Amino acid sequence: MRTTTRPSERAQLFRRATGLVSAVVLLGACGEVVEGAPPLPTGSPSVPSCMTPPGDLLADLDGDGLTDRVSDPSHTGARLTVAFGKETGYGSPVGVRKLVGRSGSGEKDVLAAVADFDGDGWSDLVVVATGQIQGDDAIEPTVDQLVSGPFSSSGQGQRTRQLDLGETRGITVADYDHDPYPDLAVFSYAGDGVYQTEARLGDGDTGLADATADTGGYRVYADQTDDDTPSNMPGSGLSTFYPDCGKAGGQG
């Protein structure tokens, strides 16, 4: 069983020195939409995005002009669901294992987060799937992607960016640098018994920027491990970036 220790030099140098070059899968050569993705938006959403009193996000996620609902009672991405809007109410909630896709649906920890990370008005999707713990060395996730919105009920969006997050065990939306872009808090295992929460900052060009020496200043090492909600994870930052729906709450 892994135990938390003080960060060793090896753990601090765990992050690849330069990292892999983050691949950006863009739209087809003729501007075609990614297969299975909603049509390219021609402007901002017609549905205003907002937060309900219980903490759900209401927004048009798939560009059909109807309000969709995002819920995550776990606050770590593990129990996130999206109920896509219909002409009368909502459809059945879609969970993280469908949003992450076939390649990662069978992994141990499957996580998702939704926010407008690039500030274009459309909420984006982060999906991560990580396998079973394998001793002292950290493992790579099977899936760790930022999907630019609007996106479909199968997690297909306008473009996809690999995030290179490392062995991720929890994610949530946060506000680290107090700018207009939502950030992502990533709870991960760094190796040698060290767990940590790191920041990936929202960015108008890339959606979520790479980890740098500057973002290392936001790193917090865990006091304890194996919590459903790690003790050093920040609270959800969604309410910082989306207004309160009020009692009307859109579609309710």
Side-chain angles (χ1 to χ4, degrees), residues 35-232:
E35 183 178 357
L40 281 168
T42 57
S44 300
S46 59
V47 174
S49 302
C50 62
M51 297 292 297
T52 69
D56 293 345
L57 171 64
L58 300 186
D60 180 9
L61 304 178
D62 56 358
D64 64 357
L66 300 175
T67 301
D68 309 311
R69 179 187 289 269
V70 181
S71 303
D72 181 16
S74 70
H75 303 294
T76 60
R79 294 168 57 196
L80 181 140
T81 60
V82 179
F84 287 90
K86 303 173 68 175
E87 291 296 338
T88 54
Y90 296 100
S92 298
V94 175
V96 291
R97 292 185 182 272
K98 183 174 181 182
L99 291 170
V100 79
R102 186 177 303 171
S103 61
S105 61
E107 298 293 17
K108 178 182 183 293
D109 290 311
V110 180
L111 314 166
V114 175
D116 182 12
F117 295 107
D118 58 5
D120 67 352
W122 294 97
S123 290
D124 311 307
L125 171 70
V126 174
V127 286
V128 186
T130 309
Q132 294 285 345
I133 291 169
Q134 297 180 16
D136 286 341
D137 292 332
I139 63 173
E140 295 298 316
T142 304
V143 177
D144 62 340
Q145 299 176 339
L146 171 66
V147 179
S148 297
F151 60 88
S152 71
S153 60
S154 60
Q156 301 300 311
Q158 306 307 305
R159 59 189 182 275
T160 301
R161 181 172 188 267
Q162 306 301 318
L163 294 175
D164 190 26
L165 298 178
E167 185 177 320
T168 304
R169 301 298 175 184
I171 57 175
T172 193
V173 177
D175 182 18
Y176 284 104
D177 55 354
H178 310 300
D179 69 3
Y181 303 106
D183 308 315
L184 187 72
V186 182
F187 182 72
S188 63
Y189 178 65
D192 288 348
V194 176
Y195 287 80
Q196 61 192 15
T197 297
E198 294 189 285
R200 288 299 184 89
L201 302 181
D203 180 80
D205 295 323
T206 64
L208 285 169
D210 294 334
T212 65
D214 291 336
T215 58
Y218 300 113
R219 184 181 296 117
V220 178
Y221 294 99
D223 295 325
Q224 55 188 346
T225 62
D226 299 326
D227 292 336
D228 289 338
T229 304
S231 60
N232 63 345

